[in-house]
Amino acid sequence: MQFKNIIGQEAIKQQLIQTFAENRISHAQLFLSSEGSGALPLAIAYAQYINCLDKQADDSCGECSSCRKYERYIHPDLHFSYPFFASKDVRTAVDVLDEWRSMVLADPYFDMDIWRSKLSAENKQANINIAECHDIIKKLSYKAFEAETKVLIMWLPEYLDKEGNSLLKIIEEPPQNTLFILVANNQEQILSTLLSRTQIVKIPKLPHATVESYLMDEFGLSENQATEYSFLADGNLIEAKQLVANTQNENADKFAEWLRMGYGNRVLDLTNFVDQIAGWGRENQKNFLKYGISFLRECSLLLSGAEELVKLPGSAMDTAKRLSTHVLNLSMADAIISELEKAHYHIERNANPKILFLDVSLQLVKIIKFKTLPKGTQYIYS
């Protein structure tokens, strides 16, 4: 991976190259960005540049033996760690390394949903477990095979639980010529003990113009279509590509139908829907709830008279307008968002999905059909 292959982020590229030129590379760095901004490709390109045998002024050469191995992610001194779904056959990240390599080779811009689709996730939750932490310590205790610097790139350290504390000593006092790069999306979910031992490199969202140009050049979209997709993606290149490929999931239709069932007090249909959603698996359930929260926030903008700020595509926009005109008011939208956020919190903590979604469904009936708001959500809007 060379810097030239990364979309945008020119200032960050120059900043990273400058750290090498000035010999001030921190041994533990946290690349912090929102999804789809290119943090993982930047981390790989940075590691490749550091170990390149014929560095250029603004990039690695791409042709030396080190670069050729980096391009295929088979360099013996390049290590990856990432969330995975443990089982009797999968104990550490190395056990799914072939799947990881093939995915990064195909497209280094991906998120947890895409990675999950490559694995046998079933109803399990991904994490970086204690066995993986011990394997990291073991790998980094060896001398470098070829390169001057050993590199460990950890994607999504947010999935480290308290077991991550076992890495503190090796991060604080690493073996000679060892570089840790953590690639994260959410600073608040990272262990504070880990966070305090890293130098944070903040990577901004991609500008709309950059995403727009990429979509026109790569997919041949018209300017109007590229502008619409870049606006909807809001700097997330992964989401922009999904819009182009028209591979968005069915959350929009399912959530709209859930609201209709609540408004119609269709209890039997709601119980059948709860049975269906209970079998989706926790990650899909969480994504469904996140979509609902985002959708209702857009409805709140409509209700506040700020339609020009709404970022919903055509059919979802029509649904939001009908709801905002005939069904919802701001306090009701607020109350439903609160219920969905609480549900998301409990799903992450292994709540029984059937009980949880049945409770939320009944709350929808109370709020939408009978306009009975939970205590504490009655607001006066001017």
Side-chain angles (χ1 to χ4, degrees):
M1 175 69 65
Q2 292 180 277
F3 286 123
K4 68 180 182 181
N5 301 129
I6 297 169
I7 311 303
Q9 306 295 7
E10 300 306 322
I12 297 294
K13 293 174 189 176
Q14 289 305 312
Q15 177 185 327
L16 295 175
I17 291 170
Q18 197 69 17
T19 61
F20 180 86
E22 297 175 359
N23 194 26
R24 51 181 181 85
I25 299 173
S26 173
H27 70 271
Q29 301 183 39
L30 172 65
F31 284 25
L32 186 63
S33 74
S34 55
E35 282 189 352
S37 300
L40 180 62
L42 279 166
I44 298 170
Y46 185 39
Q48 179 169 323
Y49 181 80
I50 289 170
N51 283 315
C52 177
L53 303 178
D54 186 21
K55 297 177 185 64
Q56 310 300 304
D58 58 355
D59 212 340
S60 52
C61 71
E63 297 180 359
C64 67
S65 59
S66 175
C67 284
R68 288 199 301 271
K69 290 174 183 176
Y70 259 86
E71 293 288 347
R72 292 179 288 158
Y73 311 114
I74 58 172
H75 197 291
D77 297 312
L78 172 65
H79 306 284
F80 289 103
S81 182
Y82 36 80
F84 59 93
F85 303 91
S87 67
K88 64 178 182 179
D89 299 319
V90 179
R91 295 187 62 253
T92 65
V94 172
D95 295 325
V96 287
L97 182 59
D98 288 342
E99 290 88 342
W100 172 265
R101 280 180 179 148
S102 64
M103 184 177 64
V104 181
L105 281 167
D107 188 350
Y109 290 83
F110 56 86
D111 57 17
M112 191 62 202
D113 288 339
I114 296 172
W115 173 227
R116 189 175 189 274
S117 70
K118 305 291 183 184
L119 304 174
S120 300
E122 300 173 351
N123 285 336
K124 301 170 189 170
Q125 292 202 74
N127 70 342
I128 301 174
N129 60 18
I130 189 64
E132 172 66 6
C133 294
H134 289 164
D135 192 52
I136 289 170
I137 295 169
K138 179 181 176 182
K139 286 186 290 195
L140 295 182
S141 66
Y142 298 142
K143 289 184 178 180
F145 286 91
E146 296 179 12
E148 185 176 335
T149 303
K150 290 177 293 182
V151 180
L152 175 88
I153 297 175
M154 179 179 285
W155 182 60
L156 299 186
E158 297 95 318
Y159 285 82
L160 269 172
D161 205 349
K162 60 185 179 181
E163 292 85 356
N165 287 319
S166 62
L167 297 173
L168 298 182
K169 182 173 177 58
I170 196 169
I171 289 178
E172 195 164 6
E173 300 174 10
Q176 190 174 11
N177 296 331
T178 300
L179 172 62
F180 290 87
I181 305 178
L182 311 182
V183 179
N185 298 142
N186 194 325
Q187 182 174 342
E188 295 178 356
Q189 293 179 6
I190 302 172
L191 289 169
S192 58
T193 48
L194 201 63
L195 198 61
S196 64
R197 288 163 171 80
T198 60
Q199 175 182 307
I200 298 179
V201 179
K202 292 189 176 180
I203 298 168
K205 280 184 181 180
L206 290 170
H208 287 190
T210 300
V211 177
E212 184 180 328
S213 297
Y214 172 79
L215 295 178
M216 287 191 290
D217 295 342
E218 191 72 15
F219 298 101
L221 299 186
S222 67
E223 185 176 351
N224 287 340
Q225 198 171 30
T227 300
E228 180 183 350
Y229 286 170
S230 66
F231 181 67
L232 290 171
D234 192 25
N236 185 339
L237 198 65
I238 300 165
E239 189 171 336
K241 289 181 178 182
Q242 289 175 337
L243 287 166
V244 173
N246 198 26
T247 57
Q248 288 183 297
N249 55 37
E250 299 176 355
N251 282 339
D253 294 336
K254 290 182 183 297
F255 186 76
E257 182 58 25
W258 195 27
L259 293 180
R260 291 189 196 100
M261 287 186 282
Y263 182 69
N265 194 17
R266 292 152 48 192
V267 176
L268 182 60
D269 289 340
L270 283 170
T271 55
N272 291 334
F273 179 76
V274 167
D275 289 339
Q276 178 187 349
I277 199 172
W280 286 358
R282 285 188 169 84
E283 292 301 322
N284 290 329
Q285 291 160 359
K286 284 155 58 179
N287 288 339
F288 176 71
L289 291 168
K290 282 193 290 187
Y291 173 82
I293 292 165
S294 298
F295 176 79
L296 288 169
R297 284 176 177 158
E298 299 298 302
C299 289
S300 297
L301 288 174
L302 284 173
L303 289 163
S304 302
E307 183 175 339
E308 68 279 3
L309 300 178
V310 178
K311 300 180 295 183
L312 291 172
S315 59
M317 183 67 162
D318 292 340
T319 302
K321 284 182 176 179
R322 287 196 297 272
L323 280 168
S324 303
T325 303
H326 304 293
V327 179
L328 294 177
N329 57 40
L330 273 173
S331 57
M332 292 166 67
D334 238 6
I336 298 171
I337 288 171
S338 177
E339 293 297 326
L340 298 182
E341 286 176 339
K342 285 190 290 185
H344 187 277
Y345 174 87
H346 290 299
I347 283 291
E348 282 192 322
R349 285 151 185 79
N350 297 322
N352 183 303
K354 188 172 287 190
I355 295 173
L356 181 69
F357 278 98
L358 180 58
D359 179 64
V360 178
S361 297
L362 296 176
Q363 292 298 329
L364 283 181
V365 174
K366 287 175 63 178
I367 295 167
I368 301 176
K369 176 65 177 176
F370 298 107
K371 297 181 173 51
T372 303
L373 301 179
K375 187 177 180 181
T377 58
Q378 289 84 3
Y379 304 108
I380 298 174
Y381 294 96
S382 56

